[in-house]
């Protein structure tokens, strides 16, 4: 029976995500294999897809595709086919990151030494491959002050305190799909999760806040792990936790009751250190409250230190990017409440997995950058290291605030005139459609095309016309259809947003294009790691006088916080703050794709902005981000050797 491995799954997902054909060269780069391997994998997949009457088709010189005309139903059939395969047969780790997590879990779950040869046999790879994977495992363990002890003829063994081992175990499991099923099979087979959840929910009702679902589930899993580790004699020592700082907390009293109930249920004795361990999880839980923050005392609700931290974050965001969110009371309350629990998580190196992280980075790239500014302030204030998951949660609060600011400013444009050549009935229908889609807009009148000169600037903010307006007018005008379409709605929405926020898309795009130059276009770059690539490109910028010595350091620091690869073979490295001597973008095309964070990268845009351009960073950054989402064109960009050809292709991206 055929078993679908991770590479084949990744291949089918790539094909399903494309509306247009994709070349074997592009797929090979993304998956880190050869074009020949892709061709063989397609043949293998087609043998399975034949069961549901579907095939991956190939068009010479164009690429592979699954006929989109077959519709969503076929997509669902394909997903169901491969999901069933996974349920029936399991999945042997194939990709490097999967092997690393597998090895990490095996080492944690093994009480004694385990040989590299044994791991190699389990993974069907060579010992040298396992040795290389172990280097990455050691880097992961460093985050938790854990080490591998290696003894000749015995193998490797994990060393470190129990609390850190559990945090590491929990995070490594949380990084896998179907983690609860996997967790149940490997660690908590004889522990009833539902019973633990019921006990936990009963007592956390005594807390002054409600706990969101994700941290509640995390807490239940941590308790389940604790029960199994205690049974094996693996206890959290009191000395590893500052107990005197916890005993007076309400959370400590609740944790004591949870532990007592679990002791009775499972007939085990739970040491004092475990009570403190659960207390830490309660302190680190995300609070879920919906209060009238307009009437409440912010400082009392979120705590003076957290309130001040939020103020410092918003002041720094305003200083760096000229985005003033300091009067948004909803943001101050929500972010302050979030930080109250986040600081505790960071203090004890707990990781609250953010299941939305990839979507946040993809859909809200600039708000994620604002989250990094916040992370820097937190780290400077507390010396705590803020991870990507926490930055993602902070970015959500900031994105909501930015949207509120946009919506508030959108409401300032209300007065709209309708110009229509199709008669009064059509004009009235169009006016009603506009008012329905944009309820804050006031239609001040409908006009025939010949009376456009009668419209007064003092009375109208925007003209919507069903015919092109050729004469000069001091009032902004948009050409739309008599029957409002989705494109028309988007056009109006973009105009209103850009008008209110002083964003001129055409101006921003022109500014973006002016940042490129032939002298900063590099092909055949043969560096093998993100750091070496950044150092190579930034050194050139330094030599040419665009940046000073601090630029490279700042870009590497930003990269350390969160990789700037965005998928689709592209990375956009940039410094923590706009600090270039002269604004520019260096382009680097790698000879061969490299691993960059979670993605494969071949095309690099090194972004350097001067202080005077920092207000435009969000527009330029978002423009660049959107422009490189076209996968087919990015694949073509990676093949260009001439700057003019590259830019001609780049400008064609809409």
């Amino acid at each position: 029976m055929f078993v679908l491995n991770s590479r084949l799954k990744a291949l089918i997902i790539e094909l399903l995500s494309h509306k247009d054909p994709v070349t074997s060269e592009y797929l090979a780069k993304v998956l880190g294999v050869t074009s020949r391997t892709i061709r063989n994998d397609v043949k293998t997949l087609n043998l399975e897809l034949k069961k549901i009457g579907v095939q991956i088709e190939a068009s010479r010189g164009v690429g592979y595709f699954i006929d989109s005309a077959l519709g969503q139903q076929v997509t669902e059939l394909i997903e169901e086919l491969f999901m069933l395969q996974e349920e029936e047969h399991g999945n042997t780790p194939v990709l490097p990151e999967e092997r690393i997590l597998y090895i990490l879990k095996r080492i944690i779950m093994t009480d004694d030494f385990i040989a590299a040869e044994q791991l190699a046999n389990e993974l069907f790879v060579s010992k040298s491959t396992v040795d290389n994977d172990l280097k990455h495992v050691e880097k992961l363990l460093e985050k938790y002050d854990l080490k591998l002890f290696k003894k000749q003829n015995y193998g490797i063994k994990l060393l470190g305190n129990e609390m850190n081992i559990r945090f590491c175990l929990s995070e490594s499991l949380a990084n896998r799909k179907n983690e609860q099923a996997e967790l149940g099979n490997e660690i908590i087979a004889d522990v009833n999760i539902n019973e633990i959840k019921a006990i936990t929910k009963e007592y956390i009702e005594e807390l002054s806040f409600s706990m969101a679902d994700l941290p509640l589930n995390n807490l239940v899993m941590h308790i389940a792990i604790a029960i199994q580790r205690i049974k094996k004699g693996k206890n959290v020592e009191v000395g590893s936790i500052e107990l005197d700082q916890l005993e007076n907390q309400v959370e400590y009293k609740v944790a004591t009751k949870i532990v007592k109930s679990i002791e009775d249920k499972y007939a085990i004795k739970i040491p004092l250190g475990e009570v403190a361990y659960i207390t830490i999880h309660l302190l680190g839980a995300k609070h879920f409250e919906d209060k009238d923050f307009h009437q409440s005392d912010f400082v009392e609700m979120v705590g003076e230190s957290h309130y001040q931290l939020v103020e410092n974050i918003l002041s720094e965001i305003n200083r760096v990017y000229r985005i003033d969110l300091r009067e948004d009371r909803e943001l101050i309350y929500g972010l302050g409440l979030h930080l109250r629990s986040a600081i505790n998580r960071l203090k004890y190196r707990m990781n609250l997995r953010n299941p939305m992280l990839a979507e946040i980075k993809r859909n809200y790239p600039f708000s994620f950058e604002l989250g990094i500014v916040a992370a820097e302030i937190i780290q400077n204030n507390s010396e705590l290291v803020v991870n990507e998951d926490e930055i993602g949660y902070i970015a959500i609060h900031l994105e909501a605030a930015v949207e509120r600011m946009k919506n508030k400013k959108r409401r300032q444009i209300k007065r709209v005139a309708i110009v229509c050549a199709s008669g009064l009935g059509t004009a009235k229908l169009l006016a009603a459609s506009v008012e329905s889609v944009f309820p804050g807009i006031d239609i001040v009148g409908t006009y025939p095309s010949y009376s456009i000169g009668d419209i007064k600037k003092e009375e109208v903010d925007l003209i919507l016309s069903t015919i092109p307006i050729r004469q000069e007018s001091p009032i902004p005008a948009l050409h739309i259809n008599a029957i409002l379409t989705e494109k028309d709605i988007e056009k109006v929405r973009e105009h209103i947003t850009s008008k209110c926020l002083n964003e001129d898309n055409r101006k921003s795009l022109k500014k973006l294009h002016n940042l490129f130059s032939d002298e900063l276009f590099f092909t055949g770059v043969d560096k093998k790691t993100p750091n070496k690539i950044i150092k190579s490109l930034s050194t050139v910028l330094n030599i040419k006088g665009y940046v000073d010595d601090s630029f490279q350091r700042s870009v590497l620091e930003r990269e350390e916080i969160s990789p700037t690869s965005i998928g689709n073979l592209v990375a956009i490295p940039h410094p923590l703050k706009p600090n270039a001597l002269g604004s520019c973008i260096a382009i680097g095309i790698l000879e061969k794709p490299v691993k960059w964070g979670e993605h494969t990268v071949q095309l690099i845009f090194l972004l350097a902005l001067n202080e005077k351009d920092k207000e435009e960073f969000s527009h330029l950054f978002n423009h660049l981000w959107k422009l490189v989402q076209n996968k087919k064109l990015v694949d073509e960009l990676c093949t260009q050797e001439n700057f003019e050809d590259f830019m001609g292709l780049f400008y064609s991206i809409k």
Side-chain angles (χ1 to χ4, degrees):
M1 183 71 70
F2 172 75
V3 179
L4 187 69
N5 66 36
S6 300
R7 190 182 69 235
L8 293 175
K9 261 192 272 183
L11 175 56
I12 197 71
I13 288 169
E14 275 292 329
L15 290 169
L16 288 173
S17 70
H18 289 270
K19 293 181 181 178
D20 300 316
V22 197
T23 66
S24 61
E25 288 78 10
Y26 174 84
L27 293 168
K29 291 172 184 175
V30 170
L31 299 179
V33 295
T34 65
S35 295
R36 181 178 179 180
T37 298
I38 294 296
R39 290 193 293 273
N40 291 334
D41 284 352
V42 168
K43 291 177 183 176
T44 303
L45 286 171
N46 274 337
L47 289 174
E48 291 300 304
L49 289 170
K50 191 181 293 185
K51 296 175 181 177
I52 56 173
V54 178
Q55 289 285 276
I56 299 168
E57 300 183 39
S59 178
R60 185 176 293 276
V62 178
Y64 293 108
F65 63 96
I66 297 172
D67 191 354
S68 59
L70 296 172
Q72 180 63 28
Q73 187 176 4
V74 169
T75 299
E76 290 172 359
L77 280 172
I78 294 172
E79 290 174 350
E80 183 180 355
L81 171 68
F82 293 131
M83 284 173 63
L84 286 173
Q85 297 251 357
E86 181 176 60
E87 290 170 1
E88 290 173 5
H89 303 294
N91 197 6
T92 301
V94 173
L95 301 177
E97 55 268 26
E98 293 174 333
R99 291 198 309 270
I100 290 164
L101 287 173
Y102 177 88
I103 292 170
L104 177 64
K105 286 185 294 182
R106 286 286 283 116
I107 291 170
I108 292 174
M109 297 306 298
T110 302
D111 294 331
D112 207 342
F113 288 94
I114 184 169
E117 290 82 357
Q118 181 179 339
L119 292 170
N121 290 335
E122 292 174 10
L123 291 165
F124 304 103
V125 295
S126 66
K127 181 179 176 296
S128 61
T129 298
V130 169
D131 288 338
N132 186 58
D133 289 341
L134 282 169
K135 294 176 184 177
H136 297 283
V137 170
E138 287 182 294
K139 287 183 180 179
L140 289 175
L141 292 172
E142 282 177 8
K143 293 195 302 181
Y144 302 92
D145 289 335
L146 302 173
K147 294 182 179 180
L148 291 181
F149 174 61
K150 300 176 183 178
K151 187 175 181 181
Q152 194 171 3
N153 299 325
Y154 284 84
I156 49 181
K157 184 178 182 180
L158 182 64
L159 298 180
N161 79 55
E162 176 64 15
M163 188 170 71
N164 289 349
I165 289 173
R166 291 193 200 171
F167 286 153
C168 182
L169 176 61
S170 176
E171 182 174 355
S172 67
L173 288 166
N175 280 327
R176 306 291 299 133
K177 292 181 180 178
N178 299 322
E179 66 222 45
Q180 290 191 14
E182 192 170 319
L183 191 59
N185 290 334
E186 297 183 19
I187 305 170
I188 54 172
D190 61 342
V191 176
N192 190 316
I193 289 293
N194 292 328
E195 286 181 355
I196 296 175
K197 193 168 189 176
I199 291 170
T200 305
K201 288 178 73 174
E202 177 185 352
Y203 292 111
I204 63 173
E205 289 179 1
E206 298 179 18
L207 297 172
S208 60
F209 59 86
S210 299
M211 191 183 293
D213 288 339
L214 184 61
L216 173 60
N217 290 334
N218 279 355
L219 173 60
V220 170
M221 285 298 167
H222 275 286
I223 293 173
I225 291 171
I227 291 171
Q228 291 295 67
R229 298 290 288 178
I230 291 167
K231 286 181 177 180
K232 296 174 71 174
K234 307 289 185 180
N235 300 322
V236 170
E237 300 296 329
V238 176
S240 63
I241 302 174
E242 298 164 353
L243 193 61
D244 58 326
Q245 297 182 17
L246 302 177
E247 288 178 319
N248 295 326
Q249 304 275 4
V250 175
E251 287 83 355
Y252 185 83
K253 295 178 175 62
V254 171
T256 301
K257 293 179 180 180
I258 291 173
V259 164
K260 179 65 170 66
S261 186
I262 289 173
E263 283 182 327
D264 295 341
K265 187 73 180 177
Y266 289 94
I268 58 173
K269 180 63 180 174
I270 298 179
L272 186 61
E274 301 289 346
V275 181
Y277 175 73
I278 294 174
T279 302
I280 291 169
H281 282 82
L282 292 172
L283 287 168
K286 277 178 66 67
H287 300 180
F288 185 80
E289 298 183 61
D290 187 16
K291 295 186 177 181
D292 186 355
F293 39 79
H294 295 290
Q295 304 296 325
S296 304
D297 182 350
F298 279 14
V299 177
E300 182 179 341
M301 281 193 302
V302 305
E304 186 173 351
S305 62
H306 302 124
Y307 177 81
Q308 186 60 53
L309 186 57
V310 172
E311 284 204 326
N312 292 345
I313 288 169
L314 300 186
S315 294
E316 183 68 1
I317 286 173
N318 184 55
R319 186 188 73 79
V320 175
Y321 292 117
R322 292 290 186 267
I323 296 176
D324 195 351
L325 304 173
R326 292 174 293 181
E327 299 303 317
D328 189 328
R329 294 171 64 81
E330 189 170 347
L331 172 63
I332 295 170
Y333 169 74
L335 186 54
L337 200 61
H338 171 82
L339 292 178
R340 191 170 73 183
S341 55
I343 295 299
N344 278 299
R345 288 195 295 274
L346 295 171
K347 181 178 179 181
Y348 291 102
R349 300 188 184 185
M350 295 169 58
N351 182 48
L352 178 60
R353 186 175 61 92
N354 190 334
M356 303 173 290
L357 182 61
E359 287 76 13
I360 292 167
K361 293 177 72 173
R362 181 170 61 250
N363 297 321
Y364 312 125
F366 184 64
S367 290
F368 192 79
E369 292 303 312
L370 299 183
I372 287 175
V373 173
E376 190 181 20
I377 294 295
I378 295 169
Q379 289 174 188
N380 291 340
N381 182 74
S382 61
E383 296 185 355
L384 297 173
V385 177
V386 185
N387 57 47
E388 273 193 310
D389 293 284
E390 294 291 358
I391 293 172
Y393 282 121
I394 293 170
I396 291 175
H397 288 277
L398 295 170
E399 173 67 20
V402 169
E403 281 302 308
R404 283 194 294 271
M405 180 179 70
K406 288 181 179 179
N407 289 333
K408 182 178 179 182
K409 292 187 176 183
R410 281 189 190 111
R411 291 192 289 270
Q412 294 172 4
I413 288 188
K414 296 181 177 180
R415 306 167 302 170
V416 173
I418 301 290
V419 173
C420 186
S422 304
L424 184 61
T426 305
K428 292 296 183 185
L429 174 60
L430 180 57
S433 299
V434 171
E435 285 181 320
S436 174
V437 176
F438 302 97
I441 277 179
D442 176 27
I443 305 298
V444 299
T446 56
Y447 301 83
S449 58
Y450 58 80
S451 4
I452 192 169
D454 298 334
I455 304 174
K456 296 179 180 178
K457 186 177 187 298
E458 297 77 22
E459 299 174 354
V460 174
D461 301 313
L462 176 65
I463 295 172
L464 298 179
S465 173
T466 62
I467 59 171
I469 297 177
R470 307 194 185 284
Q471 64 190 83
E472 289 292 327
S473 171
I475 307 169
L478 295 178
H479 179 207
I480 61 174
N481 293 288
I483 305 298
L484 204 62
T485 67
E486 286 297 324
K487 285 187 177 180
D488 294 328
I489 292 169
E490 187 60 28
K491 184 189 293 185
V492 174
R493 184 176 286 119
E494 282 188 6
H495 174 83
I496 291 173
T497 300
S498 62
K499 181 73 176 175
C500 292
L501 298 177
N502 298 317
E503 296 176 5
D504 185 331
N505 286 340
R506 284 176 297 181
K507 182 181 176 183
S508 289
L509 192 56
K510 183 177 180 181
K511 174 72 176 179
L512 178 64
H513 291 164
N514 290 338
L515 296 177
F516 297 110
S517 68
D518 196 355
E519 70 171 356
L520 298 179
F521 177 73
F522 308 98
T523 61
V525 179
D526 62 353
K527 305 301 180 184
K528 302 297 189 295
T529 67
N531 278 13
K532 289 180 179 178
I533 294 164
I534 289 170
K535 288 177 180 178
S536 176
L537 293 177
S538 59
T539 298
V540 175
L541 294 187
N542 185 294
I543 292 170
K544 293 184 179 293
Y546 287 100
V547 302
D548 61 18
D549 294 341
S550 67
F551 177 82
Q552 182 181 113
R553 183 169 61 253
S554 184
V555 176
L556 292 173
E557 287 174 359
R558 166 61 185 84
E559 203 67 40
E560 186 69 25
I561 295 171
S562 173
T564 53
S565 53
I566 64 172
N568 196 25
L569 299 175
V570 177
I572 310 178
H574 52 275
L576 284 167
K577 297 167 188 174
N579 66 347
L581 301 176
S583 296
C584 67
I585 299 176
I587 301 169
I589 302 176
L590 303 181
E591 198 172 79
K592 292 182 179 179
V594 301
K595 191 70 177 173
W596 195 307
E598 295 183 357
H599 302 287
T600 301
V601 167
Q602 189 172 20
L603 177 60
I604 296 96
F605 294 94
L606 177 57
L607 184 58
L609 287 186
N610 182 267
E611 173 81 9
K612 65 181 175 62
D613 294 318
K614 67 182 181 181
E615 290 183 38
E616 296 187 64
F617 182 88
S618 63
H619 318 322
L620 294 171
F621 189 73
N622 285 331
H623 260 305
L624 184 58
W625 195 281
K626 290 174 183 176
L627 288 171
V628 294
Q629 295 306 306
N630 187 312
K631 298 185 177 185
K632 184 178 179 182
L633 282 172
V634 167
D635 189 28
E636 291 183 41
L637 288 172
C638 290
T639 67
Q640 302 305 307
E641 296 183 0
N642 177 276
F643 176 72
E644 295 299 329
D645 292 341
F646 181 95
M647 296 313 300
L649 190 59
F650 184 79
Y651 293 158
S652 72
I653 302 176
K654 303 297 182 186

